[in-house]
Amino acid sequence: MEQRRIAALDDERESYQLPPMEYPARIRWIYPEEQAAALVPCLTGKGFSVSANSAGTGVKGQVPSAQNQPFARAMIECEAQFSIDPRMMLPPTPQQYVVQYEYWSEFVIPCVRKHGAEIASLPSRPVWLADPQPLEGYPDGNATIQRECPYNIPSRVWLGEA
């Protein structure tokens, strides 16, 4: 897990075009839905004014262009301290695809429709499992729906821990 953590941090660091760096020690593993709760106080403590995005899976805020590199470094440092559980980045298992189908068909689609938004139906379970595809028409720009009907399965359910 630690090797995957370092590889993910290296990939992100390179995407920001930062030079190699020593990463701070990990404080704890987090799930994607905990990102904002972990990163906002960390980045705020480093002097950046950020808040949680509407889904709670990341941060938003205005960073002056002169601060892009310091912000990128601070982001990498915070992500190193609060790294996403690497199991969340593994290819899905056949059972996880079943859980994905059930979550979308039994929770997300009805929830989105309950909030008055249009969303496509999934094909039958055997058809979808033969060729899993993303859920079409999920209203990404709707903060209420993102909060009430999250697109992604809760991590503990995805990992079979709940």
Side-chain angles (χ1 to χ4, degrees):
M1 285 179 63
E2 188 62 22
Q3 289 174 343
R4 286 192 177 118
R5 171 184 170 262
I6 298 299
L9 290 168
D10 284 343
D11 287 346
E12 185 151 0
R13 178 188 50 76
E14 289 170 6
S15 77
Y16 287 131
Q17 299 177 350
L18 292 173
M21 60 189 278
E22 188 170 322
Y23 301 119
R26 178 180 47 82
I27 293 173
R28 68 180 176 91
W29 295 114
I30 63 170
Y31 296 124
E33 58 268 28
E34 298 175 294
Q35 264 191 308
L39 296 180
V40 168
C42 183
L43 289 166
T44 300
K46 292 180 179 292
F48 294 96
S49 180
V50 296
S51 60
N53 67 13
S54 61
T57 56
V59 299
K60 63 182 180 176
Q62 296 295 321
V63 176
S65 60
Q67 292 294 307
N68 282 346
Q69 290 295 305
F71 178 77
R73 185 173 183 80
M75 179 66 93
I76 295 291
E77 289 171 353
C78 290
E79 288 178 346
Q81 293 174 317
F82 302 97
S83 296
I84 292 179
D85 186 323
R87 297 176 298 163
M88 296 301 299
M89 295 168 220
L90 295 174
T93 65
Q95 181 57 36
Q96 285 173 322
Y97 278 124
V98 169
V99 171
Q100 180 75 68
Y101 182 87
E102 291 171 357
Y103 177 75
W104 281 346
S105 65
E106 296 173 17
F107 173 71
V108 174
I109 292 171
C111 182
V112 168
R113 289 178 179 158
K114 180 181 94 179
H115 286 284
E118 302 261 337
I119 189 167
S121 294
L122 291 174
S124 70
R125 184 174 170 171
V127 168
W128 189 85
L129 290 174
D131 184 24
Q133 297 294 316
L135 182 59
E136 288 186 39
Y138 182 82
D140 286 317
N142 186 313
T144 300
I145 290 176
Q146 286 182 318
R147 186 178 56 258
E148 302 285 326
C149 318
Y151 181 86
N152 293 317
I153 297 170
S155 298
R156 284 187 163 84
V157 174
W158 183 252
L159 295 172
E161 297 172 349

